[in-house]
Amino acid sequence: MYISEALMDYVAAFSQWGFLMAFLFCLVSSINKENKTPVYLSALMLCSYIFSSYIKLLENLYLNWALYDFITIAALLTLQYFDVFKRTKAFLFLVLALTANAVLTLLLYCDIYILYNFEPWWYWSVYSIGVNVIDVLMMLSLVVNHRMVNPSQPVILNRGENDSKL
């Protein structure tokens, strides 16, 4: 089961929406906190996915997506090198996931445009499902990692003498 061209716009919109929600969650959750790493990571991912949908650097769609993945990896590594943000588990996962997405995309490009294979086969399903699952996992890693980097104090809801402390 591969995703047809008719569904690509909806899948792209879902990915953009997911990274927007991850960014907004990290932004709101990190107000008055010193570590803004989750905000920077989610902002970079949001910008990457939005730009890749609207700004075509290359004519071929698959090469364009792979190029944006590599640009995003380079931006992540460069910003981490200059200590703009800390190296976290989400950072490492994003680099690994973007690399996997880029490799899957380049393999699909080779299959279609170099080997001229136009008959759907199992790799197309692996690509369609794999890339989208990786995208969702990246969104979740940004939110979950935010909770690990900036844990909030648990709120104990007691009625009575401690109400003034809440």
Side-chain angles (χ1 to χ4, degrees):
M1 150 135 179
Y2 65 94
I3 296 177
S4 66
E5 285 189 39
L7 291 177
M8 273 198 237
D9 289 335
Y10 296 109
V11 172
F14 174 76
S15 295
Q16 292 169 14
W17 176 83
F19 282 113
L20 175 64
M21 292 300 109
F23 168 70
L24 291 174
F25 174 80
C26 292
L27 181 66
V28 169
S29 298
S30 68
I31 293 174
N32 296 330
K33 297 205 175 141
E34 192 173 316
N35 186 3
K36 303 289 185 192
T37 298
V39 177
Y40 299 147
L41 289 174
S42 57
L44 182 63
M45 292 304 297
L46 174 63
C47 290
S48 172
Y49 272 69
I50 287 177
F51 290 159
S52 69
S53 292
Y54 298 107
I55 300 173
K56 305 295 183 210
L57 299 176
L58 299 172
E59 289 296 318
N60 186 282
L61 179 67
Y62 298 112
L63 286 179
N64 194 54
W65 286 343
L67 178 63
Y68 269 103
D69 285 344
F70 288 126
I71 289 172
T72 306
I73 292 168
L76 284 168
L77 295 174
T78 302
L79 291 173
Q80 194 277 324
Y81 177 77
F82 289 112
D83 292 328
V84 172
F85 50 75
K86 298 175 185 175
R87 183 176 289 189
T88 61
K89 290 180 183 178
F91 168 82
L92 297 173
F93 182 75
L94 289 176
V95 171
L96 178 69
L98 286 168
T99 304
N101 271 358
V103 168
L104 287 172
T105 303
L106 288 175
L107 288 174
L108 187 67
Y109 170 80
C110 290
D111 181 50
I112 295 173
Y113 294 100
I114 295 175
L115 300 176
Y116 299 109
N117 182 16
F118 299 109
E119 290 293 320
W121 62 297
W122 64 266
Y123 180 72
W124 290 16
S125 297
V126 168
Y127 171 80
S128 296
I129 294 169
V131 167
N132 293 306
V133 166
I134 290 171
D135 286 349
V136 170
L137 290 175
M138 285 191 290
M139 294 169 210
L140 291 174
S141 75
L142 291 168
V143 172
V144 170
N145 182 70
H146 179 272
R147 302 306 298 163
M148 294 165 61
V149 172
N150 294 323
S152 59
Q153 295 294 327
V155 177
I156 300 171
L157 298 175
N158 293 359
R159 292 285 179 203
E161 62 190 50
N162 294 331
D163 282 346
S164 62
K165 295 179 183 177
L166 296 176

